[in-house]
Amino acid sequence: MRLITHNMLSCNIKGVTSGFPLRIEAGNVIEKEVDFNPDFIRHMFAKIEWKALVEGARSMGYAELPEESPDAAVLKSDEPFLKKLHHALLELHLEEGALVCPETGRKFPVNKGIPNMLLHEDEV
Amino acid sequence: MSNRPELLAPPEIFYDDTEARKYTSSSRIVEIQAKLSERALELLALPEDGVPRFLLDIGCGSGLSGETLSEDGHHWIGLDISASMLHVAVEREVEGDLLLGDMGQGLGLRSGVIDGAISISAVQWLCNADKSSHEPRLRLKAFFGSLYRCLSRGARAVFQVYPENIAQRELILRQALQAGFGGGLVVDYPHSTKKRKEFLVLTCGTVQTSIQTSKNEYDESCSEDDNSDDEESEEVGVSDRNRPRKRQRTNTKVKGREWVLRKKEQSRRKGKNVPADSKFTSRKRRTRF
């Protein structure tokens, strides 16, 4: 699972109102190289929840991102920053571990890089 | 007609290890999936500015349809309920991210983050109640509601559906429209029982985009059935179905002199003050009255 996906997942249990962001319990993290496309990074930047991204990246052992969200102007000129953002969003993969709902504490296991988001019948 | 898998078992049981491997190994299925995915991507009508989009593949299975998205340069998330299918996808090293989830429970994605969504031969599974707790209408409602929320404004969703009958198609379409979507059904090769393909094209928000025109020439479509390279579709607009019947105007004749004389006689018998009859009775007044 990539961080770009984690930045969009929220807890879907009935009654949960602030199920985002899910906390990451990282068991095994790997890196896979992906072609760098600055246009895509700029396109997705507008939709990224920055604080959740930084926390997620820290949980997966990557601490190169700044704490505060940079300005949109930085995206046009700062190529090293775009590279770091690209690496965090698309190249880090959580292979084994769990995602924890911040409100209920429910754990969604991650196996072989696939989060199991299936809910039990009483949670729907 | 072959047996429909929805009638045999729930999807997470039907697509077990054996069936998942068989499904992905069949070159015919791979080819069909690729063509359907290309068509769905075409109907998605993404802007041609060269920027890759972040798409959602619902019911991605072993990643056959997602591969088309990757070949087009897009990034995607795949969602499927069958763990076996997803494991085959991992073995095939698909480029998209994979999620094990049930679309009938809602998608569980944040608001406004997805640029588009496709689904190949998956949504009709929601019409079957596989557990005692399943209610097809509620599951479709949960699915379309959460999809509407996670799509960005102006985004589209294209689903190739394989409904069992007209009632199923109507149910899916009604739930989609009630969730707030616009759009309708695009039918490729409507006159061919074998080649007919139905795409549910849904638009999110009020952004004006051109709807693809349809070809309606019956003779041409018949001859084109043999030519697999040709693409043609017939559009059934939802607005056409909902349009109320036009009221027929009744041609009411103008009353004649006899009618007027009879009415005056009636009024006299009632004791009303009625002008005397003359040769001008029932004549039309001047326009400058």
Side-chain angles (χ1 to χ4, degrees), chain A residues 11 13 16 23 25 99-108:
Chain A
C11 185
I13 295 176
V16 168
R23 189 160 44 86
E25 290 185 351
L99 303 174
V100 186
C101 173
E103 195 168 305
T104 62
R106 165 81 146 91
K107 288 193 177 186
F108 300 97

Side-chain angles (χ1 to χ4, degrees), chain A residues 43-59:
Chain A
H43 171 67
M44 293 310 296
F45 180 78
K47 304 180 180 183
I48 291 292
E49 180 69 35
W50 186 258
K51 192 164 182 288
L53 175 62
V54 173
E55 284 175 11
R58 292 244 175 94
S59 305

Side-chain angles (χ1 to χ4, degrees), chain B residues 63-253:
Chain B
L64 295 177
S65 43
E67 231 163 59
T68 302
L69 305 179
S70 295
E71 283 166 7
D72 244 55
H74 302 295
H75 296 268
W76 55 279
I77 298 176
L79 174 80
D80 203 280
I81 197 175
S82 168
S84 304
M85 282 290 223
L86 292 176
H87 288 158
V88 175
V90 168
E91 282 178 20
R92 298 175 69 241
E93 295 184 10
V94 296
E95 290 183 30
D97 248 346
L98 301 168
L99 298 176
L100 176 62
D102 184 358
M103 58 169 136
Q105 296 175 343
L107 298 177
L109 294 172
R110 208 159 41 86
S111 297
V113 291
I114 299 293
D115 294 322
I118 72 164
S119 176
I120 304 298
S121 223
V123 177
Q124 70 270 1
W125 284 89
L126 285 174
C127 296
N128 287 73
D130 295 316
K131 295 175 183 174
S132 58
S133 63
H134 280 186
E135 169 66 39
R137 242 179 357 89
L138 293 184
R139 281 166 63 74
L140 281 163
K141 184 181 177 185
F143 168 64
F144 284 120
S146 55
L147 178 68
Y148 189 83
R149 280 191 297 275
C150 73
L151 286 172
S152 57
R153 174 179 292 275
R156 278 193 183 192
V158 176
F159 304 141
Q160 187 265 324
V161 287
Y162 192 43
E164 195 175 347
N165 45 45
I166 291 177
Q168 229 179 54
R169 183 192 300 117
E170 293 289 334
L171 173 67
I172 295 174
L173 196 55
R174 192 186 325 123
Q175 291 301 322
L177 298 180
Q178 278 179 12
F181 283 108
L185 207 61
V186 171
V187 185
D188 284 358
Y189 307 108
H191 308 291
S192 169
T193 307
K194 216 173 181 185
K195 301 181 70 177
R196 178 193 176 96
K197 295 289 185 288
E198 297 185 19
F199 293 89
L200 192 64
V201 182
L202 303 173
T203 56
C204 183
T206 55
V207 177
Q208 294 293 330
T209 47
S210 62
I211 302 294
Q212 191 170 98
T213 52
S214 60
K215 303 174 187 174
N216 276 313
E217 295 170 41
Y218 184 86
D219 296 331
E220 190 179 334
S221 69
C222 272
S223 62
E224 279 177 1
D225 278 350
D226 300 322
N227 197 342
S228 60
D229 289 330
D230 281 344
E231 290 255 343
E232 57 108 5
S233 63
E234 177 181 306
E235 184 188 352
V236 180
V238 175
S239 59
D240 287 338
R241 294 210 199 123
N242 296 333
R243 182 184 300 158
R245 265 186 177 178
K246 293 178 180 177
R247 294 175 183 172
Q248 275 188 346
R249 293 180 182 176
T250 50
N251 283 332
T252 317
K253 265 190 174 181

Side-chain angles (χ1 to χ4, degrees), chain B residues 34-73:
Chain B
K35 282 186 176 174
L36 291 173
S37 308
E38 281 159 20
R39 178 61 170 150
L41 199 51
E42 181 186 332
L43 288 168
L44 214 53
L46 295 169
E48 310 234 355
D49 50 13
V51 177
R53 254 56 193 194
F54 198 63
L55 304 175
L56 179 64
D57 186 353
I58 299 152
C60 64
S62 45
L64 295 177
S65 43
E67 231 163 59
T68 302
L69 305 179
S70 295
E71 283 166 7
D72 244 55

